[in-house]
């Protein structure tokens, strides 16, 4: 086990026991999630897309809490992709403001629940207020002993790979790294996920069957669970179903 198992110290919510049909010994260590379908969820209800994102935050809080309680070591979510800037500016601005207000509001709870938060992606173009809060939340939870919660923000898998290649090239040019010694481990050490094991399970909501530039390197051997449920409706039952599906697979990592 790479991640320490933690008894939650959260006193703001009830502890959620692991559903009986799940095998505690065969839980994924790391779950990655593409939280898709906020817009469609809102549209179905005749509401603006932004309400879908607000509802998506509640589904994320529930998922993080459950993963923490059910012994998952790391949860990595796709909050904002490098391609999401092409959405209407009102929606982009709404999302930035939402991230900031949620972080501000939830930081105390995240600390209580021993969550270690990290942000993955190119954070430079984010609004200054959000960047400051990200810095504060990462620093103030850096010694947390619980679940690793990675929020991919202005993240793109291809961009991450190019960035890693650039970093390795720079080290080689400076004479710090012999190019012939670059192997998979050295390469992975330059990714945002350097301190994580690769995800065992990828969950994508809203029925889309794509990876969409998410964790291209890290998902090489992940089991993929796709559900038609729209992200704001994701809850304990749908997470348990994804985990049951995962536990029904025989992972072969290319072997027989
Ligand atoms: C995809 O649904 C969802 C997003 C691009 C945003 C996800 C963000 C959250 C759930 C909030 C996370 C908050 C924090 C603080 C990390 P979509 O808009 O693409 O839905 P659609 O495909 O139905 O249009």
């Amino acid at each position: 086990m790479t991640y320490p198992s933690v008894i939650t110290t959260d006193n703001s919510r009830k502890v959620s026991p692991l559903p009986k049909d799940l095998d505690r010994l065969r839980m994924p260590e790391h779950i990655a999630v593409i939280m898709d379908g906020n817009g469609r969820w809102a549209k179905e209800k005749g509401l603006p897309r932004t309400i879908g994102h607000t509802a998506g935050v509640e589904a994320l809080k529930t998922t993080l809490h459950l993963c923490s309680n059910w012994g998952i070591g790391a949860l990595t979510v796709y909050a904002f992709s490098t391609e999401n800037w092409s959405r209407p500016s009102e929606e982009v601005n709404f999302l930035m403001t939402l991230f900031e207000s949620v972080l501000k509001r939830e930081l105390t709870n995240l600390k209580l629940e021993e969550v270690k938060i990290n942000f993955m992606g190119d954070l430079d173009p984010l609004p200054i207020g959000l960047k400051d809060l990200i810095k504060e939340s990462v620093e103030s939870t850096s010694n947390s002993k619980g679940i690793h919660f990675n929020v991919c923000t202005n993240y793109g898998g291809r961009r991450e790979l190019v960035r890693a290649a650039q970093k390795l090239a720079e080290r080689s040019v400076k004479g710090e790294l012999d190019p012939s010694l670059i192997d998979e481990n050295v390469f992975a050490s330059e990714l945002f996920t350097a301190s994580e094991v690769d995800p065992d399970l990828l969950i994508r909501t809203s029925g889309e069957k794509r990876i969409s530039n998410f964790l291209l390197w890290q998902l090489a051997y992940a089991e993929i669970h796709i559900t038609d449920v729209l992200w704001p409706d994701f809850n304990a039952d749908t997470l348990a179903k994804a985990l049951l599906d995962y536990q029904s697979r025989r992972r072969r990592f290319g072997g027989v």
Side-chain angles (χ1 to χ4, degrees):
M1 185 77 180
T2 312
Y3 300 101
S5 59
V6 149
I7 307 296
T8 180
T9 53
D10 174 27
N11 43 24
S12 63
R13 287 174 184 237
K14 281 199 294 231
V15 171
S16 310
L18 190 70
K20 288 197 172 50
D21 39 3
L22 285 171
D23 180 348
R24 183 174 293 281
L25 300 176
R26 293 178 55 231
M27 298 295 275
E29 280 194 77
H30 183 174
I31 299 181
V33 184
I34 301 179
M35 310 179 286
D36 200 7
N38 292 350
R40 274 162 287 168
W41 181 90
K43 194 170 175 212
E44 274 180 4
K45 296 179 161 42
L47 298 168
R49 292 176 57 79
T50 48
I51 303 290
H53 296 313
T54 308
V57 171
E58 295 310 307
L60 179 55
K61 279 167 58 183
T62 303
T63 303
L64 176 62
H65 177 71
L66 291 168
C67 285
S68 164
N69 275 224
W70 292 357
I72 309 295
L75 175 69
T76 300
V77 298
Y78 210 175
F80 194 87
S81 74
T82 46
E83 292 75 28
N84 284 153
W85 295 106
S86 66
R87 293 186 175 208
S89 58
E90 301 77 44
E91 184 170 342
V92 170
N93 293 340
F94 179 87
L95 280 168
M96 295 298 148
T97 309
L98 180 69
F99 294 163
E100 192 173 329
S101 63
V102 170
L103 263 187
K104 207 177 275 173
R105 198 180 66 214
E106 296 299 327
L107 189 54
T108 306
N109 269 339
L110 291 169
K111 286 186 204 165
L112 275 174
E113 205 160 339
E114 285 286 335
V115 173
K116 185 179 163 90
I117 190 164
N118 197 12
F119 281 76
M120 300 180 172
D122 175 9
L123 306 181
D124 277 348
L126 302 181
I128 183 75
L130 176 57
K131 279 198 282 197
D132 287 347
L133 257 178
I134 287 177
K135 193 163 178 282
E136 183 193 341
S137 50
V138 171
E139 282 174 6
S140 67
T141 63
S142 63
N143 292 323
S144 293
K145 302 279 179 289
I147 189 168
H148 294 188
F149 176 43
N150 305 311
V151 184
C152 294
T153 310
N154 193 24
Y155 172 89
R158 287 186 175 179
R159 197 180 283 187
E160 180 185 33
L161 294 175
V162 170
R163 175 181 172 273
Q166 277 172 347
K167 285 180 176 287
L168 292 170
E170 279 164 18
R171 282 169 56 194
S172 297
V173 168
K174 282 188 199 153
E176 294 168 6
L177 177 68
D178 175 350
S180 70
L181 296 181
I182 299 174
D183 60 11
E184 291 186 13
N185 287 331
V186 173
F187 195 90
S189 73
E190 294 292 358
L191 299 173
F192 292 118
T193 47
S195 56
E196 305 289 8
V197 298
D198 285 343
D200 308 287
L201 171 64
L202 169 70
I203 298 173
R204 181 164 190 158
T205 55
S206 90
E208 307 289 351
K209 299 178 182 67
R210 291 187 292 275
I211 290 188
S212 298
N213 205 13
F214 190 43
L215 302 176
L216 296 180
W217 172 283
Q218 298 88 337
L219 291 173
Y221 291 104
E223 297 296 328
I224 301 179
H225 174 84
I226 292 175
T227 168
D228 286 335
V229 167
L230 303 175
W231 176 251
D233 289 329
F234 198 79
N235 58 22
D237 286 345
T238 46
L239 178 62
K241 269 192 195 135
L243 291 167
L244 260 184
D245 184 21
Y246 170 80
Q247 292 191 342
S248 75
R249 313 272 180 96
R250 202 164 66 84
R251 303 188 74 196
R252 296 189 306 175
F253 298 97
V256 288

